């Protein structure tokens, strides 16, 4: 049992697990913000553009009476908009992070030079061309 606890402690204390936990917590908070954006800002604007049509109220009754089951497809439309907004924001965030983390790569130092006589590639340190055997200047 002690070995299992030790192994679990090592697993939890790894950097990747902690990073993932922080990401999940921030993701939950971010989801609440985007859900509020969709429900409180986007859907009313969409309703305004459609002449006061309330998407959240869209539903189909699957029976008769007050207790009939309802198919709330308006909530599904809001969930799709919510997903698309989250995807766009995450895409833009990752794109910005990639742009910031991209390092400008310096060109590699040349390892060959051109023989002035036969125009073949020769090792940079070579003093004689292996193709035409001409003496090379350093």
């Amino acid at each position: 049992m002690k070995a299992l606890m030790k192994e679990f402690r090592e697993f939890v204390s790894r950097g990747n697990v902690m990073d993932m936990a922080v990401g999940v917590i921030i993701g939950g908070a971010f989801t609440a913000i985007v859900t509020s954006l969709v429900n409180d800002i986007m859907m009313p604007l969409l309703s305004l553009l459609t002449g006061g049509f309330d998407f959240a109220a869209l539903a189909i009754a699957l029976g008769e009476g007050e207790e009939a089951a309802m198919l709330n497809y308006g909530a599904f439309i809001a969930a799709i908009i919510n997903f698309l907004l989250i995807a766009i924001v995450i895409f833009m965030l990752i794109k910005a992070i990639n742009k910031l983390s991209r390092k400008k790569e310096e060109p590699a130092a040349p390892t060959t030079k051109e023989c002035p006589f036969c125009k073949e590639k020769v090792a940079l340190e070579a003093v004689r061309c292996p193709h035409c055997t001409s003496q090379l200047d350093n």
Side-chain angles (χ1 to χ4, degrees):
M1 187 69 173
K2 285 185 179 183
L4 182 65
M5 290 302 291
K6 180 182 176 189
E7 187 177 347
F8 179 72
R9 196 173 320 123
E10 289 173 3
F11 171 75
V12 169
S13 64
R14 272 194 220 150
N16 294 344
V17 174
M18 298 306 258
D19 291 344
M20 185 179 69
V22 169
V24 168
I25 292 168
I26 290 174
F30 185 72
T31 300
I33 291 170
V34 174
T35 301
S36 175
L37 174 69
V38 169
N39 293 336
D40 301 331
I41 296 173
M42 297 299 291
M43 290 310 248
L45 289 175
L46 192 58
S47 177
L48 181 66
L49 292 174
T50 58
F53 196 73
D54 184 16
F55 280 92
L58 292 176
I60 297 174
L62 300 175
E64 294 183 21
E66 287 183 24
E67 305 218 5
M70 300 295 287
L71 186 66
N72 297 319
Y73 65 93
F76 181 68
I77 292 172
I80 290 173
I81 293 171
N82 193 347
F83 168 77
L84 291 174
L85 283 173
I86 290 173
I88 288 169
V89 169
I90 289 174
F91 171 75
M92 297 304 280
L93 184 66
I94 290 174
K95 189 172 178 170
I97 289 171
N98 286 342
K99 190 173 186 178
L100 290 174
S101 66
R102 227 180 268 148
K103 296 178 183 175
K104 293 185 179 180
E105 295 179 17
E106 295 179 19
T111 58
T112 60
K113 60 184 175 183
E114 188 177 271
C115 174
F117 302 103
C118 67
K119 305 296 185 197
E120 292 288 332
K121 296 285 180 190
V122 182
L124 198 57
E125 298 84 22
V127 292
R128 192 172 288 277
C129 177
H131 305 286
C132 67
T133 68
S134 298
Q135 187 75 29
L136 302 173
D137 296 328
N138 285 352

